[in-house]
Amino acid sequence: MGFSQGLGFSILYQFIVWFFWWFGIHGYNVTAAIQNMVYMPAQLANQAGDASYVFSNGFFEELTLLQVMGLVLAIFIFSKKASWRAVAKVGFPAMLFNIQEPIAFGLPIVLNPILLIPYILSPIANTIIGWLAISTGIVPIFKYVVPWTMPSFFGGLIGTGSISGGLLQLVCIAADVCIYAPFVIAANKIKDEGEDEEEDAA
C-alpha cells in the first residue's frame, strides 16, 4: 500500500492503463489486479476513516476518466475538421457521464498516432494536479465511493465531500483542453481520406 501511494508508481499505473486503451484494450480491466489489491482497499480505508490515502480508486475514477472531455471541448474550440466535430457532437452526451467509447472508437482515438501523446499525457497531468491539490490540503481526499459515471464537478463534490473536489475536476478538464489543443490544431492540416476523394471529384 505504501509503495502504491508513490507519485511515480501512480504515474506508471496511469501510463499503462491509457497505453492499453490507445490500442483498443480496456486498460482498467488489464490492470484490475493493481486496482483491486491496492487502490480499492485504499478507497475503502478512506471511507471507513481508517486512513487518508491520496491515491485511491475514487481518485483515478474522478480525475482521469474525464480527460477525454478535454479532447471533446478542444475539438469544439479548435477543430476545423467536419468529421471530428460530428463525432464530438455525438460523443459529447456520453462523455458527460465519462463514457469515452463513442469518441475512442468513433473519432478514433484508438491507434491514432496524432492523439497518442495527449491521450496518455492528460491523465498523467491530472494525476499530478490531483496529487498536488490533495497533498497540500487544498482539496480533501476522495473519501466516498461515487459511481464512475457521475458527471464532472458532481463526482468530485460528492467524492471529497467538498466543493473544492468539484473545482479540482474542472481544473483538470481545463488542463486537458490545453494539452489536447496543439494536437487538435495540428490535425486540421491532415485531410481525411474521404475529403481527398471529394476534392478529386470536384
Side-chain angles (χ1 to χ4, degrees):
M1 290 293 290
F3 185 73
S4 70
Q5 290 300 303
L7 179 61
F9 182 88
S10 298
I11 289 175
L12 177 61
Y13 168 60
Q14 284 300 293
F15 173 86
I16 295 172
V17 167
W18 294 98
F19 186 66
F20 272 107
W21 260 117
W22 185 78
F23 279 102
I25 301 171
H26 198 300
Y28 279 106
N29 285 350
V30 173
T31 58
I34 298 175
Q35 181 176 347
N36 293 336
M37 284 193 302
V38 292
Y39 292 125
M40 181 56 75
Q43 181 65 57
L44 295 176
N46 284 352
Q47 183 166 324
D50 297 332
S52 297
Y53 292 111
V54 173
F55 297 113
S56 64
N57 197 54
F59 177 97
F60 292 113
E61 288 188 349
E62 300 305 324
L63 294 185
T64 61
L65 291 180
L66 52 73
Q67 63 115 346
V68 180
M69 179 60 83
L71 170 59
V72 173
L73 295 178
I75 290 173
F76 286 149
I77 298 171
F78 300 105
S79 181
K80 298 179 181 178
K81 295 172 70 69
S83 59
W84 280 36
R85 293 183 67 85
V87 173
K89 290 177 182 178
V90 172
F92 178 74
M95 269 313 304
L96 289 175
F97 301 96
N98 298 316
I99 300 171
Q100 65 154 339
E101 281 79 358
I103 303 296
F105 296 102
L107 199 59
I109 297 173
V110 172
L111 297 179
N112 188 335
I114 299 174
L115 297 176
L116 171 60
I117 292 176
Y119 190 60
I120 295 177
L121 183 59
S122 289
I124 290 176
N126 291 357
T127 298
I128 295 172
I129 292 170
W131 171 75
L132 287 171
I134 296 174
S135 296
T136 55
I138 298 175
V139 178
I141 59 170
F142 281 85
K143 182 175 182 180
Y144 304 105
V145 176
V146 180
W148 62 269
T149 53
M150 182 68 67
S152 297
F153 181 78
F154 298 104
L157 170 65
I158 298 171
T160 62
S162 170
I163 193 172
S164 61
L167 295 176
L168 173 61
Q169 287 188 303
L170 299 183
V171 169
C172 286
I173 291 176
D176 296 336
V177 172
C178 294
I179 291 172
Y180 274 109
F183 297 89
V184 171
I185 293 172
N188 290 332
K189 302 177 182 179
I190 301 174
K191 294 182 179 180
D192 293 334
E193 183 177 347
E195 292 174 341
D196 292 335
E197 292 176 355
E198 290 176 3
E199 287 187 2
D200 293 339

